[in-house]
Amino acid sequence: MGGSKKHVVTRTAPSLAIVETNPHDNRDLVLIEAPIVSSYNDRIRPLLDTVDRLRNLNVMREGIQLPTIVVVGDQSSGKSSVLESLAGISLPRGQGICTRVPLVMRLQRSTSPAPEIWLEYSGKVVPTDEEHITEAICAATDVIAGSGKGVSDAPLTLHVKKAGVPDLTMVDLPGITRVPVNGQPENIYEQISGMIMKYIEPQESIILNVLSATVDFTTCESIRMSRQVDKTGERTLAVVTKADMAPEGLLQKVTADDVSIGLGYVCVRNRIGEETYEEARLQEEFLFRTHPMLSLIDDDIVGIPVLAQKLMLIQASMISRCLPEIVRKINHKMETAVLELNKLPMVMASTGEALMALMDIISSAKESLLRILVQGDFSEFPDDQNMHCTARLADMLSKFSDDLQAKPKDVREFLMDEIKILDECKCVGLPNFIPRSAFLAILSQHVDNVHDKPVEFIKKIWDYIEVVLSSVIAKYSENFPQIQTSIKRAGRNLITNIKEQSVERVMEIVEMEKLTDYTCNPDYMTSWTQKTSEQQNFIHAVLYDGKRPEYFSLTGFGNVKISHLRNYHAHLLQQAFDMKMRITSYWTIVLRRIVDNLALYLQLSVKYLVNSQFQKEIVADMVHPRAGGGVERMLEESPSVASKREKLKNSIKLLKESKDAVAAIVDQNSGYGDR
C-alpha cells in the first residue's frame, strides 16, 4: 500500500539526506532532509521579535492583548512530547500535572552551534542547559506555585536559542484534569479551566489544541473549551499525537472534522524512549510514508516539521493582522494617559502658587454649583439624578406643599373648637359680632399645628445641598487630598451657618401668620361667600328639623356630625359656623403663602450661597489658622497623587517604547497577513 503513495519531499531533522529505492517503482524515492526551519521566511523573525519586545515591555498590563499561540490539551494528550519535539529539549514529565504554571516558550533559531537556554520568573533570570532544563523548570515551578500539586497563573518564561528550532513563541498551559488525585486541590479543574479560558478567550490568541489519536475528539475537554471562545474554529489548529498507537480511522477523523478545526490538523508521532530528536523525526517520516493506513494521509498534514511550518506562518499572519489594531490601542491608551497626567495638579513650589490653585478649585466648584443649583444644567452629572439639583429641589418643594396642605383628620367634633374659643373670647357687647381675638386665637392654633413642618423642610433642603456641595468640592479637589478634609469641613461650616439663618427666617415667616389676619387675595371672599351660603340650612338641620338628623352634608366638609350641637343657642352656632368658614377660607391662603414664601426664600438663599457666600467663606475658612495651614499643605503632594503621577509616567514610557517597537515593522508587514 505504501508503494501507491505519491513521491514526496519530506521535512525531517536537520542536515540529513537519504536515498531509498522503491521496489514498486523504477524511480528512486529521494527523501531530502531539510532543517525544521527550511521554510523560514525573513519576515517572520522581525514580526516575532516585535511581539516579543512588546511582551518584554509587559504591554499586556495596559490591557493590550498580543498574538499568542496557546497550547491546550487534556491531561496525557501528549502536549509535552509535541513541545519537546518543536524545541528539541526535554520538558518535565511524570504522573499527574507536569505543567503547573503557564510556560511561555520563546524559541529562536540561532546560528551558533551552542544552545542558549535560560528561564525568567519573578524578576529573576536563571541560566540553564539542555541537560538540566527539566530540573530548572521544576525548581522554578515550585517557587511560583509551591512544592505541592497546586497550580498558579503566574507565568514562567523559557528562552531557547538553538540551531534548527522554529521561530515561535508559545504558552503551554496545564493539562485539563477533572478528578483531583495525589494531593491536588479539590478545585483543580476550576483553577485550570479558568486559567485556560483567560488565555484562549482573546481574539488575538491562536489555539493549538493537542489531541490524542487514541480518543474520540468530540469527548475532549480541550475541544469543548476552545469551541466556547472560537465557535467556527478560525483560530484553532489541532495536532494529533500518538498516531502510531491508533492509526485505524485516523484519516477519517482528520478529514471529517466533526469538531470544527478551522486551521486544520497535523498528525505527529511522539518520541519514544531514548530516541534522539533526529531519530524520532526519521521514524516519524518512515511511519507516515510506509504505514498502510497512515501513508494515506496527505503529506501536508503530517509531521513535526509541517507543524512547525504551519505554526510559524499562522503566527506571522496573525501578528501582521493584529499589528495595526495594536498600534491603534497603544496610541489611544498613550493619549488617554497623557491627558490624565496633564489633569493632575502641577507640583507647586510656593504659597502663592498654592493659593492660586485653591482659588481655581473654589472657582471651578462655584461654576459647577451655579450650573446645577441655579441654572438647571446637569450635563456635568448626566447619570447621577441626585445631582440634578433644580429638579430634586422642585420635587422636595412639591412634596412639602402636598404634605402641608393635606387635609388633617378631624379628631374633635365639628365646630367645637370654634364654640370653645368664642365662649372664652365673649365680652359685653352686641351679639353676632365675631371677636377678632377669637379669630386670631383659632388661627394661632392652626399655625402651631403646622409650625414644625416648614422648619423640618428647610433643614432637609440644606442637608441635601450640603451633600451636593460636598460632592462638588470632592470632585474638584480630588487631586489635593491633603486639603480635601479641610475644604469639606469649610463647606459644612458654611452650610451649618446658612441652615441656622434659614431656620430663623422660616420661623419668622410662620410666626408672622399669627400676628394678623390679612390677605388681598380675592379667593378669600369668594370661598367664604360660597361656604356661608349653606349657613341657614345648617342651623335649621341642627335646631329645627323635626327628623333630628345626626349628620349634615356640607360642601367641602362632607357629612359632618351635628347631633352634639343641639344644646347650643342659634346665635352661637351662627358665629361658630361663620368663623369656621372664615378660618377655612383664610387657612388655604395662609398655607399657600407659606409655600410661596419658602420657595422664594429658597431661591434667593441658594443664589446668595453660590454667587456670594461660597467663595468668600471657603477662602476665609481655609486661610484661617484653625484650618491648620490648609494652603501650605497643598505644597505637599499627597501619596495617592504622587503614586498616580508615577504610574501614569511609567505607562506613558512603556507605551512610547511599545510604539517605537512596532513603528518600524508595521508598514513593512502591513500586507503580509493577507497573502
Side-chain angles (χ1 to χ4, degrees), residues 404-405 443 446 519 521 523-524 527 531 581-596:
L404 188 66
Q405 297 182 71
L443 174 63
H446 278 63
T519 181
N521 192 330
D523 289 348
Y524 167 71
S527 175
K531 293 180 185 301
M581 299 307 111
R582 289 179 184 274
I583 194 66
T584 301
S585 300
Y586 183 62
W587 186 240
T588 299
I589 291 172
V590 169
L591 293 179
R592 291 175 180 173
R593 186 160 60 201
I594 291 175
V595 173
D596 289 344

PDB file of all heavy atoms in Angstrom, residues 404-405 443 446 519 521 523-524 527 531 581-596:
ATOM      1  N   LEU A 404     -48.126  69.814  53.538  1.00  0.00           N
ATOM      2  CA  LEU A 404     -48.600  70.944  54.345  1.00  0.00           C
ATOM      3  C   LEU A 404     -50.093  71.190  54.128  1.00  0.00           C
ATOM      4  O   LEU A 404     -50.827  71.510  55.073  1.00  0.00           O
ATOM      5  CB  LEU A 404     -47.794  72.195  53.991  1.00  0.00           C
ATOM      6  CG  LEU A 404     -48.024  73.431  54.874  1.00  0.00           C
ATOM      7  CD1 LEU A 404     -47.527  73.155  56.292  1.00  0.00           C
ATOM      8  CD2 LEU A 404     -47.328  74.657  54.284  1.00  0.00           C
ATOM      9  N   GLN A 405     -50.532  71.040  52.890  1.00  0.00           N
ATOM     10  CA  GLN A 405     -51.924  71.359  52.565  1.00  0.00           C
ATOM     11  C   GLN A 405     -52.857  70.157  52.636  1.00  0.00           C
ATOM     12  O   GLN A 405     -54.051  70.271  52.337  1.00  0.00           O
ATOM     13  CB  GLN A 405     -51.996  71.974  51.155  1.00  0.00           C
ATOM     14  CG  GLN A 405     -51.233  73.289  51.048  1.00  0.00           C
ATOM     15  CD  GLN A 405     -51.345  73.916  49.672  1.00  0.00           C
ATOM     16  OE1 GLN A 405     -52.396  74.410  49.288  1.00  0.00           O
ATOM     17  NE2 GLN A 405     -50.245  73.875  48.924  1.00  0.00           N
ATOM     18  N   LEU A 443     -56.729  80.949  64.607  1.00  0.00           N
ATOM     19  CA  LEU A 443     -55.669  80.991  63.595  1.00  0.00           C
ATOM     20  C   LEU A 443     -54.335  80.560  64.200  1.00  0.00           C
ATOM     21  O   LEU A 443     -53.575  79.794  63.592  1.00  0.00           O
ATOM     22  CB  LEU A 443     -55.563  82.395  63.006  1.00  0.00           C
ATOM     23  CG  LEU A 443     -54.406  82.644  62.018  1.00  0.00           C
ATOM     24  CD1 LEU A 443     -54.560  81.762  60.783  1.00  0.00           C
ATOM     25  CD2 LEU A 443     -54.351  84.117  61.616  1.00  0.00           C
ATOM     26  N   HIS A 446     -54.076  76.856  64.493  1.00  0.00           N
ATOM     27  CA  HIS A 446     -53.766  76.241  63.196  1.00  0.00           C
ATOM     28  C   HIS A 446     -52.280  76.382  62.867  1.00  0.00           C
ATOM     29  O   HIS A 446     -51.643  75.427  62.390  1.00  0.00           O
ATOM     30  CB  HIS A 446     -54.604  76.899  62.092  1.00  0.00           C
ATOM     31  CG  HIS A 446     -55.996  76.367  61.991  1.00  0.00           C
ATOM     32  ND1 HIS A 446     -56.907  76.481  63.012  1.00  0.00           N
ATOM     33  CD2 HIS A 446     -56.652  75.721  60.976  1.00  0.00           C
ATOM     34  CE1 HIS A 446     -58.052  75.929  62.644  1.00  0.00           C
ATOM     35  NE2 HIS A 446     -57.929  75.460  61.404  1.00  0.00           N
ATOM     36  N   THR A 519     -55.185  89.400  53.870  1.00  0.00           N
ATOM     37  CA  THR A 519     -54.847  88.945  52.522  1.00  0.00           C
ATOM     38  C   THR A 519     -55.530  89.861  51.520  1.00  0.00           C
ATOM     39  O   THR A 519     -56.634  90.370  51.786  1.00  0.00           O
ATOM     40  CB  THR A 519     -55.269  87.490  52.264  1.00  0.00           C
ATOM     41  OG1 THR A 519     -54.887  87.127  50.935  1.00  0.00           O
ATOM     42  CG2 THR A 519     -56.777  87.313  52.401  1.00  0.00           C
ATOM     43  N   ASN A 521     -55.886  88.581  48.553  1.00  0.00           N
ATOM     44  CA  ASN A 521     -56.286  87.562  47.589  1.00  0.00           C
ATOM     45  C   ASN A 521     -57.810  87.502  47.508  1.00  0.00           C
ATOM     46  O   ASN A 521     -58.481  87.219  48.508  1.00  0.00           O
ATOM     47  CB  ASN A 521     -55.717  86.204  48.019  1.00  0.00           C
ATOM     48  CG  ASN A 521     -55.837  85.156  46.932  1.00  0.00           C
ATOM     49  OD1 ASN A 521     -56.752  85.206  46.117  1.00  0.00           O
ATOM     50  ND2 ASN A 521     -54.919  84.210  46.931  1.00  0.00           N
ATOM     51  N   ASP A 523     -59.645  85.333  46.388  1.00  0.00           N
ATOM     52  CA  ASP A 523     -60.178  83.982  46.596  1.00  0.00           C
ATOM     53  C   ASP A 523     -60.771  83.829  47.994  1.00  0.00           C
ATOM     54  O   ASP A 523     -61.654  82.992  48.218  1.00  0.00           O
ATOM     55  CB  ASP A 523     -59.079  82.933  46.394  1.00  0.00           C
ATOM     56  CG  ASP A 523     -58.676  82.793  44.935  1.00  0.00           C
ATOM     57  OD1 ASP A 523     -59.402  83.328  44.072  1.00  0.00           O
ATOM     58  OD2 ASP A 523     -57.631  82.161  44.655  1.00  0.00           O
ATOM     59  N   TYR A 524     -60.262  84.641  48.944  1.00  0.00           N
ATOM     60  CA  TYR A 524     -60.792  84.525  50.310  1.00  0.00           C
ATOM     61  C   TYR A 524     -62.286  84.849  50.336  1.00  0.00           C
ATOM     62  O   TYR A 524     -63.094  84.064  50.860  1.00  0.00           O
ATOM     63  CB  TYR A 524     -60.028  85.438  51.263  1.00  0.00           C
ATOM     64  CG  TYR A 524     -60.725  85.602  52.582  1.00  0.00           C
ATOM     65  CD1 TYR A 524     -60.779  84.544  53.490  1.00  0.00           C
ATOM     66  CD2 TYR A 524     -61.380  86.796  52.910  1.00  0.00           C
ATOM     67  CE1 TYR A 524     -61.449  84.681  54.689  1.00  0.00           C
ATOM     68  CE2 TYR A 524     -62.051  86.937  54.112  1.00  0.00           C
ATOM     69  CZ  TYR A 524     -62.084  85.875  55.002  1.00  0.00           C
ATOM     70  OH  TYR A 524     -62.762  85.994  56.183  1.00  0.00           O
ATOM     71  N   SER A 527     -64.422  82.256  48.414  1.00  0.00           N
ATOM     72  CA  SER A 527     -64.571  80.992  49.131  1.00  0.00           C
ATOM     73  C   SER A 527     -65.503  81.156  50.334  1.00  0.00           C
ATOM     74  O   SER A 527     -66.388  80.318  50.571  1.00  0.00           O
ATOM     75  CB  SER A 527     -63.193  80.508  49.592  1.00  0.00           C
ATOM     76  OG  SER A 527     -63.312  79.351  50.375  1.00  0.00           O
ATOM     77  N   LYS A 531     -69.132  79.237  51.039  1.00  0.00           N
ATOM     78  CA  LYS A 531     -69.277  78.345  52.193  1.00  0.00           C
ATOM     79  C   LYS A 531     -70.405  78.801  53.129  1.00  0.00           C
ATOM     80  O   LYS A 531     -71.137  77.968  53.691  1.00  0.00           O
ATOM     81  CB  LYS A 531     -67.947  78.254  52.953  1.00  0.00           C
ATOM     82  CG  LYS A 531     -66.843  77.564  52.172  1.00  0.00           C
ATOM     83  CD  LYS A 531     -65.560  77.493  52.969  1.00  0.00           C
ATOM     84  CE  LYS A 531     -64.417  76.915  52.147  1.00  0.00           C
ATOM     85  NZ  LYS A 531     -64.687  75.577  51.650  1.00  0.00           N
ATOM     86  N   MET A 581     -66.080  78.911  58.576  1.00  0.00           N
ATOM     87  CA  MET A 581     -65.972  79.147  57.144  1.00  0.00           C
ATOM     88  C   MET A 581     -64.888  80.188  56.840  1.00  0.00           C
ATOM     89  O   MET A 581     -64.165  80.082  55.844  1.00  0.00           O
ATOM     90  CB  MET A 581     -67.312  79.612  56.569  1.00  0.00           C
ATOM     91  CG  MET A 581     -68.446  78.602  56.738  1.00  0.00           C
ATOM     92  SD  MET A 581     -68.054  76.942  56.102  1.00  0.00           S
ATOM     93  CE  MET A 581     -67.966  75.982  57.632  1.00  0.00           C
ATOM     94  N   ARG A 582     -64.772  81.199  57.720  1.00  0.00           N
ATOM     95  CA  ARG A 582     -63.742  82.216  57.521  1.00  0.00           C
ATOM     96  C   ARG A 582     -62.337  81.612  57.663  1.00  0.00           C
ATOM     97  O   ARG A 582     -61.462  81.827  56.832  1.00  0.00           O
ATOM     98  CB  ARG A 582     -63.916  83.360  58.534  1.00  0.00           C
ATOM     99  CG  ARG A 582     -65.124  84.241  58.271  1.00  0.00           C
ATOM    100  CD  ARG A 582     -65.237  85.337  59.330  1.00  0.00           C
ATOM    101  NE  ARG A 582     -66.449  86.130  59.138  1.00  0.00           N
ATOM    102  CZ  ARG A 582     -66.521  87.180  58.317  1.00  0.00           C
ATOM    103  NH1 ARG A 582     -65.465  87.544  57.610  1.00  0.00           N
ATOM    104  NH2 ARG A 582     -67.647  87.855  58.197  1.00  0.00           N
ATOM    105  N   ILE A 583     -62.149  80.873  58.769  1.00  0.00           N
ATOM    106  CA  ILE A 583     -60.805  80.319  59.008  1.00  0.00           C
ATOM    107  C   ILE A 583     -60.446  79.284  57.952  1.00  0.00           C
ATOM    108  O   ILE A 583     -59.296  79.176  57.523  1.00  0.00           O
ATOM    109  CB  ILE A 583     -60.691  79.728  60.432  1.00  0.00           C
ATOM    110  CG1 ILE A 583     -59.214  79.480  60.786  1.00  0.00           C
ATOM    111  CG2 ILE A 583     -61.465  78.417  60.558  1.00  0.00           C
ATOM    112  CD1 ILE A 583     -58.397  80.727  60.900  1.00  0.00           C
ATOM    113  N   THR A 584     -61.452  78.521  57.484  1.00  0.00           N
ATOM    114  CA  THR A 584     -61.184  77.525  56.439  1.00  0.00           C
ATOM    115  C   THR A 584     -60.759  78.208  55.149  1.00  0.00           C
ATOM    116  O   THR A 584     -59.796  77.785  54.488  1.00  0.00           O
ATOM    117  CB  THR A 584     -62.430  76.655  56.195  1.00  0.00           C
ATOM    118  OG1 THR A 584     -62.795  75.995  57.412  1.00  0.00           O
ATOM    119  CG2 THR A 584     -62.154  75.621  55.111  1.00  0.00           C
ATOM    120  N   SER A 585     -61.474  79.280  54.762  1.00  0.00           N
ATOM    121  CA  SER A 585     -61.131  80.000  53.529  1.00  0.00           C
ATOM    122  C   SER A 585     -59.779  80.691  53.657  1.00  0.00           C
ATOM    123  O   SER A 585     -58.973  80.693  52.718  1.00  0.00           O
ATOM    124  CB  SER A 585     -62.219  81.030  53.203  1.00  0.00           C
ATOM    125  OG  SER A 585     -63.465  80.406  53.023  1.00  0.00           O
ATOM    126  N   TYR A 586     -59.537  81.279  54.829  1.00  0.00           N
ATOM    127  CA  TYR A 586     -58.291  82.012  55.026  1.00  0.00           C
ATOM    128  C   TYR A 586     -57.095  81.060  55.171  1.00  0.00           C
ATOM    129  O   TYR A 586     -55.998  81.348  54.693  1.00  0.00           O
ATOM    130  CB  TYR A 586     -58.413  82.896  56.262  1.00  0.00           C
ATOM    131  CG  TYR A 586     -57.193  83.761  56.513  1.00  0.00           C
ATOM    132  CD1 TYR A 586     -56.799  84.717  55.590  1.00  0.00           C
ATOM    133  CD2 TYR A 586     -56.430  83.604  57.677  1.00  0.00           C
ATOM    134  CE1 TYR A 586     -55.685  85.517  55.816  1.00  0.00           C
ATOM    135  CE2 TYR A 586     -55.316  84.399  57.914  1.00  0.00           C
ATOM    136  CZ  TYR A 586     -54.940  85.346  56.975  1.00  0.00           C
ATOM    137  OH  TYR A 586     -53.830  86.136  57.192  1.00  0.00           O
ATOM    138  N   TRP A 587     -57.303  79.911  55.815  1.00  0.00           N
ATOM    139  CA  TRP A 587     -56.200  78.970  56.069  1.00  0.00           C
ATOM    140  C   TRP A 587     -55.629  78.413  54.766  1.00  0.00           C
ATOM    141  O   TRP A 587     -54.415  78.198  54.651  1.00  0.00           O
ATOM    142  CB  TRP A 587     -56.679  77.844  56.974  1.00  0.00           C
ATOM    143  CG  TRP A 587     -55.567  76.917  57.404  1.00  0.00           C
ATOM    144  CD1 TRP A 587     -55.470  75.595  57.179  1.00  0.00           C
ATOM    145  CD2 TRP A 587     -54.391  77.283  58.136  1.00  0.00           C
ATOM    146  NE1 TRP A 587     -54.322  75.077  57.721  1.00  0.00           N
ATOM    147  CE2 TRP A 587     -53.632  76.107  58.317  1.00  0.00           C
ATOM    148  CE3 TRP A 587     -53.914  78.482  58.648  1.00  0.00           C
ATOM    149  CZ2 TRP A 587     -52.414  76.093  58.989  1.00  0.00           C
ATOM    150  CZ3 TRP A 587     -52.700  78.473  59.324  1.00  0.00           C
ATOM    151  CH2 TRP A 587     -51.954  77.295  59.482  1.00  0.00           C
ATOM    152  N   THR A 588     -56.482  78.222  53.788  1.00  0.00           N
ATOM    153  CA  THR A 588     -55.988  77.767  52.481  1.00  0.00           C
ATOM    154  C   THR A 588     -54.996  78.769  51.911  1.00  0.00           C
ATOM    155  O   THR A 588     -53.943  78.393  51.367  1.00  0.00           O
ATOM    156  CB  THR A 588     -57.161  77.579  51.508  1.00  0.00           C
ATOM    157  OG1 THR A 588     -58.059  76.596  52.025  1.00  0.00           O
ATOM    158  CG2 THR A 588     -56.656  77.121  50.136  1.00  0.00           C
ATOM    159  N   ILE A 589     -55.312  80.042  52.043  1.00  0.00           N
ATOM    160  CA  ILE A 589     -54.427  81.098  51.535  1.00  0.00           C
ATOM    161  C   ILE A 589     -53.146  81.169  52.356  1.00  0.00           C
ATOM    162  O   ILE A 589     -52.046  81.342  51.820  1.00  0.00           O
ATOM    163  CB  ILE A 589     -55.168  82.446  51.540  1.00  0.00           C
ATOM    164  CG1 ILE A 589     -56.268  82.414  50.482  1.00  0.00           C
ATOM    165  CG2 ILE A 589     -54.211  83.609  51.311  1.00  0.00           C
ATOM    166  CD1 ILE A 589     -57.196  83.605  50.505  1.00  0.00           C
ATOM    167  N   VAL A 590     -53.274  80.997  53.688  1.00  0.00           N
ATOM    168  CA  VAL A 590     -52.087  81.030  54.558  1.00  0.00           C
ATOM    169  C   VAL A 590     -51.098  79.928  54.171  1.00  0.00           C
ATOM    170  O   VAL A 590     -49.892  80.164  54.050  1.00  0.00           O
ATOM    171  CB  VAL A 590     -52.501  80.893  56.041  1.00  0.00           C
ATOM    172  CG1 VAL A 590     -51.271  80.648  56.921  1.00  0.00           C
ATOM    173  CG2 VAL A 590     -53.241  82.133  56.498  1.00  0.00           C
ATOM    174  N   LEU A 591     -51.601  78.712  53.993  1.00  0.00           N
ATOM    175  CA  LEU A 591     -50.718  77.593  53.650  1.00  0.00           C
ATOM    176  C   LEU A 591     -50.018  77.834  52.320  1.00  0.00           C
ATOM    177  O   LEU A 591     -48.808  77.579  52.178  1.00  0.00           O
ATOM    178  CB  LEU A 591     -51.514  76.293  53.600  1.00  0.00           C
ATOM    179  CG  LEU A 591     -52.084  75.795  54.940  1.00  0.00           C
ATOM    180  CD1 LEU A 591     -52.871  74.509  54.729  1.00  0.00           C
ATOM    181  CD2 LEU A 591     -50.963  75.564  55.953  1.00  0.00           C
ATOM    182  N   ARG A 592     -50.750  78.306  51.331  1.00  0.00           N
ATOM    183  CA  ARG A 592     -50.138  78.583  50.033  1.00  0.00           C
ATOM    184  C   ARG A 592     -49.110  79.708  50.142  1.00  0.00           C
ATOM    185  O   ARG A 592     -48.070  79.685  49.481  1.00  0.00           O
ATOM    186  CB  ARG A 592     -51.214  78.946  49.013  1.00  0.00           C
ATOM    187  CG  ARG A 592     -52.098  77.763  48.637  1.00  0.00           C
ATOM    188  CD  ARG A 592     -53.219  78.182  47.711  1.00  0.00           C
ATOM    189  NE  ARG A 592     -54.057  77.039  47.356  1.00  0.00           N
ATOM    190  CZ  ARG A 592     -55.190  77.132  46.671  1.00  0.00           C
ATOM    191  NH1 ARG A 592     -55.629  78.332  46.284  1.00  0.00           N
ATOM    192  NH2 ARG A 592     -55.898  76.053  46.392  1.00  0.00           N
ATOM    193  N   ARG A 593     -49.414  80.670  51.018  1.00  0.00           N
ATOM    194  CA  ARG A 593     -48.480  81.785  51.194  1.00  0.00           C
ATOM    195  C   ARG A 593     -47.180  81.298  51.853  1.00  0.00           C
ATOM    196  O   ARG A 593     -46.086  81.742  51.500  1.00  0.00           O
ATOM    197  CB  ARG A 593     -49.142  82.869  52.037  1.00  0.00           C
ATOM    198  CG  ARG A 593     -48.313  84.141  52.156  1.00  0.00           C
ATOM    199  CD  ARG A 593     -49.183  85.297  52.551  1.00  0.00           C
ATOM    200  NE  ARG A 593     -49.841  85.087  53.842  1.00  0.00           N
ATOM    201  CZ  ARG A 593     -50.937  85.740  54.222  1.00  0.00           C
ATOM    202  NH1 ARG A 593     -51.500  86.618  53.415  1.00  0.00           N
ATOM    203  NH2 ARG A 593     -51.483  85.516  55.405  1.00  0.00           N
ATOM    204  N   ILE A 594     -47.304  80.394  52.792  1.00  0.00           N
ATOM    205  CA  ILE A 594     -46.097  79.826  53.421  1.00  0.00           C
ATOM    206  C   ILE A 594     -45.246  79.106  52.385  1.00  0.00           C
ATOM    207  O   ILE A 594     -44.021  79.266  52.326  1.00  0.00           O
ATOM    208  CB  ILE A 594     -46.481  78.875  54.576  1.00  0.00           C
ATOM    209  CG1 ILE A 594     -47.063  79.670  55.737  1.00  0.00           C
ATOM    210  CG2 ILE A 594     -45.273  78.071  55.035  1.00  0.00           C
ATOM    211  CD1 ILE A 594     -47.583  78.805  56.877  1.00  0.00           C
ATOM    212  N   VAL A 595     -45.915  78.297  51.545  1.00  0.00           N
ATOM    213  CA  VAL A 595     -45.184  77.569  50.493  1.00  0.00           C
ATOM    214  C   VAL A 595     -44.518  78.548  49.537  1.00  0.00           C
ATOM    215  O   VAL A 595     -43.334  78.401  49.193  1.00  0.00           O
ATOM    216  CB  VAL A 595     -46.123  76.619  49.725  1.00  0.00           C
ATOM    217  CG1 VAL A 595     -45.393  75.997  48.529  1.00  0.00           C
ATOM    218  CG2 VAL A 595     -46.659  75.526  50.643  1.00  0.00           C
ATOM    219  N   ASP A 596     -45.261  79.563  49.117  1.00  0.00           N
ATOM    220  CA  ASP A 596     -44.699  80.549  48.180  1.00  0.00           C
ATOM    221  C   ASP A 596     -43.507  81.277  48.798  1.00  0.00           C
ATOM    222  O   ASP A 596     -42.473  81.470  48.153  1.00  0.00           O
ATOM    223  CB  ASP A 596     -45.776  81.568  47.779  1.00  0.00           C
ATOM    224  CG  ASP A 596     -46.836  80.970  46.870  1.00  0.00           C
ATOM    225  OD1 ASP A 596     -46.576  79.875  46.323  1.00  0.00           O
ATOM    226  OD2 ASP A 596     -47.902  81.587  46.702  1.00  0.00           O
TER     227      ASP A 596
END
